[in-house]
Amino acid sequence: MKYLLQCLLLPALLGFTLMGAAQDAPAHNPAQWDARWIADQNAVPAAYGVYLFRKEFQLLNYSGPFIIHLSADNHYRLYVNGQFAGTGPARSDPANWYYETIDIGPQLKYGANVIAVEVTNAGPYKPRGQFSQGTALLIQGHSSREAAIINTGSTSWRVLEDESVHPLPVKSTSFYGAAPGDSVMAQYHPWGWEQPAYKDSAWATAVVVSQPLLQGRSANGWRLLTPSPLGGLQQERQSFHSLVTTQGITPEATWLKGTAPLTIPAKRKVHLVLDAGQQTTGFPEMLISGGLDAGIKISYQPAYTSSTIVQDVIRPDGGLRRKFRSGGYRSFRYVQLDIETGKAPLVLHDYYNVYTQYGLQDKSSFTATPATDSLWAAGKRAALTGAQDNLYNDPFQEQLQYIQDARIQGLALTYFSGDDHLLRNALVQTDQSRIPEGLMRSRYPSDDRMVSVTDALSWIGAVQDYLLYKADKSLAKQFYPGIRSILDWVDRYQDPATGLPGSMPYSDSTALSPITGEYLYALRQAALIAGYCDKSADSLIYARTADKLREVWYQQCYDAAKGLYAETPARKSFSRYTNAMAVLAQAVPPRQVKNVMQRLVSEKAPPYESLRAKYYIFKAMQETGVTETFPAELKVLTSLLEQNQTAAYQSSAAVANLFLLGITAGIQSTSYGFKTVLIAPDPGAAPTVNAVMVHPDGELIVVRLVFKNNRVSGTVRLPFGVTGKFRWRGREITLHGGPQEVSL
């Protein structure tokens, strides 16, 4: 196989019913921002608070769309005439504060209408990925007609602080970066506040707190507005799969389906553990009646063992059909309900999760063996669970976007759906996180300053991966100054005695060889990107710098006896990751590549080897064609799932999907924009391989192959205009657009 080959939804929702979704944003921006940020005049900007905003208005002779642009700090839920209409804004930072554009026309009617918005500021308990400049709401009508009716600040809005909700801090012995729990006293909630019939005459008038400021302009304040590049989140009802534990009462099976109520008698203690069937994410909702003086404690548990305890607590007020929903994302497989009733019985009409996910249309598939098919499903589920307003690698514990994990998850999602918006957003936001020294943060948006040389160099690789999927010269040129600043920064710390990277800030405890390999690989990729950006002189400089570094590294760290690169010049320790980097960065002489790869894959994977490291090891296997041990590597990933390891439920578990497509089915991009392909399958022991992935033009790449007696036959379908090669055991067939038979 060509050395250094440059190279990638919704699940079946078990009968979920659509609860409501934000509309995809129309391609409009306001011609002029006349609205103003508004808030409760008594709100303390940085304090925790839940605020309810209402706007009543009349529509006469109404027809057509009604487009609004809206944002909030921290988070909003939008209702139109009592119907849920959207949530946001997508997480961003103060210099690039996202607003959504929504057409609420379908929810409006002739005559009286109401828009109601719940705005939550989690204050000191806010998620680590959430920035804040103080509680506020902003809504701007798109046209002058809409603006005159709806604009915050220039039209009158009512507001009330919801004093029923308070934060419930999360107990954790490790880092926790997600939302707090909720403590709800139902008697203080203004029930029905989002409905048109509700009377808000006693509410205060919202006050203007600031004017909107636009990103890209000089301003003396923050929250600089920019349109969100993402479509709306989709929300669907997800019933619980089964009951694991029941104490104090035995519910009917129909209760889990929402078709029959569960009545808990007075003075009763009940303990229930519900199983969602798989790890999931969303906003659970509970519908109850009665239960005055009862207490309901809800504990969310992941599929794996964790010391983190996320809980919501509800104190009912005895009213009829009260609906409670969590204020922040909850990620879980199991939910434990501990209920204690007082003098009155409690009726639990329904309890379910509102599964929430960025709106992807999954068109992909993969089948080979039961083991690989199970791994494909698990990796896809993990990637989709973390596909929210950012790419969350760990939806339960952190809800943060790490560039190295987003690279894996984002590529997988584009292969599933052809929608690259989340991956592109992650690349842009990482670029926006740049610190003055020239590097960027490891995770962003995030209100901390975690910086790593490794992560900065991997961002260059993530850009290259994106371009191999989708040719986008304008984006490449946008990123190119950032690529240069990273490489210039590393070059500044070269050790004059060895010519290798020297001691530098933000390198943590990374050994000499790994960071050298990362830098060398980034130089190779930067040379390609520079050429694509019409920077031929820079491309040549990067290539020559890489060649010089390769020679020095080889002399300093290559161990001829072992046939591998050592972690340091002392040559006492070795790693699969470092040698995969050496292969990818062309640091291994061509005649020795196969030997190094065979030695690499013969090494047993250490138990601490991360999914990130496996990405580069699998990529080296794919690009060199040394893939014989890939089935064994997949067994290691499968064991993670079987043992309920945390890593199996992180979105970067989609590394399995990338290389089931890239190695087992053998689908690889060989030019920017997937204009040419190589299909070089390695089925292992599988008698058949069937794979479907989405090309960036929206068409499908389909591979359906049968393997028998060391031969392969079947069909391949490429989008028209795409060409390539089909390779099997050293022999090749030329491929063209459209369906075609293959036999070798």
Side-chain angles (χ1 to χ4, degrees), residues 43-324:
V44 178
Y48 179 93
V50 177
Y51 296 89
L52 311 177
F53 294 83
R54 280 175 55 93
K55 173 67 179 180
E56 297 179 355
F57 57 97
Q58 296 283 328
L59 284 179
L60 304 177
N61 301 320
Y62 168 73
S63 64
F66 195 105
I67 297 171
I68 62 173
H69 311 279
L70 72 162
S71 189
D73 187 346
N74 303 169
H75 186 264
Y76 70 79
R77 278 184 171 134
L78 172 69
Y79 301 88
V80 180
N81 290 326
Q83 301 178 56
F84 174 75
T87 185
R91 288 185 187 172
S92 49
D93 64 27
N96 305 274
W97 196 274
Y98 287 163
Y99 66 85
E100 277 81 29
T101 298
I102 299 178
D103 179 10
I104 62 173
Q107 287 84 35
L108 297 176
K109 64 184 190 314
Y110 176 85
N113 292 268
V114 65
I115 295 181
V117 187
E118 176 190 81
V119 175
T120 300
N121 184 348
Y125 308 98
K126 65 182 175 59
R128 186 62 66 89
Q130 178 66 59
F131 287 92
S132 178
Q133 299 296 308
T135 308
L137 170 68
L138 177 72
I139 298 183
Q140 167 76 45
H142 181 67
S143 70
S144 57
R145 179 198 65 160
E146 295 149 343
I149 296 171
I150 206 67
N151 275 14
T152 53
S154 60
T155 64
S156 178
W157 279 72
R158 299 280 190 173
V159 64
L160 176 73
E161 182 176 6
D162 185 354
E163 296 182 346
S164 70
V165 187
H166 297 276
L168 192 62
V170 171
K171 301 175 183 178
S172 181
T173 58
S174 58
F175 172 79
Y176 182 77
D182 299 324
S183 176
V184 183
M185 296 289 290
Q187 63 180 317
Y188 300 119
H189 183 71
W191 294 100
W193 71 276
E194 73 277 23
Q195 300 296 329
Y198 184 86
K199 303 302 181 183
D200 61 12
S201 57
W203 289 24
T205 300
V207 299
V208 172
V209 291
S210 65
Q211 69 180 56
L213 305 168
L214 302 184
Q215 191 271 343
R217 298 185 184 181
S218 178
N220 61 359
W222 287 99
R223 271 194 318 229
L224 306 182
L225 294 169
T226 190
S228 172
L230 307 175
L233 298 177
Q234 292 187 354
Q235 297 193 318
E236 310 225 5
R237 177 192 168 103
Q238 183 184 52
S239 297
F240 283 89
H241 181 265
S242 60
L243 279 163
V244 178
T245 303
T246 62
Q247 295 177 11
I249 200 167
T250 303
E252 298 290 337
T254 49
W255 173 65
L256 287 179
K257 299 177 182 179
T259 57
L262 171 64
T263 300
I264 301 174
K267 298 187 180 300
R268 180 75 62 90
K269 290 184 179 181
V270 169
H271 172 80
L272 304 173
V273 178
L274 288 68
D275 183 1
Q278 61 190 38
Q279 190 77 10
T280 188
T281 297
F283 299 87
E285 294 187 351
M286 179 178 287
L287 183 64
I288 66 174
S289 291
L292 183 65
D293 297 328
I296 303 171
K297 182 168 67 175
I298 307 170
S299 303
Y300 303 96
Q301 304 169 1
Y304 49 88
T305 301
S306 174
S307 61
T308 299
I309 301 174
V310 182
Q311 294 179 327
D312 293 327
V313 173
I314 301 170
R315 296 287 182 181
D317 66 342
L320 296 176
R321 302 190 70 82
R322 302 302 204 202
K323 180 181 287 187
F324 298 86

Side-chain angles (χ1 to χ4, degrees), residues 30 272 516 742:
L272 304 173
T516 300
V742 295

Side-chain angles (χ1 to χ4, degrees), residues 714-733:
T715 60
V716 172
R717 191 175 80 196
L718 301 179
F720 288 103
V722 176
T723 60
K725 299 288 186 181
F726 182 91
R727 183 176 296 161
W728 173 254
R729 304 283 171 88
R731 300 169 63 192
E732 289 186 350
I733 296 174

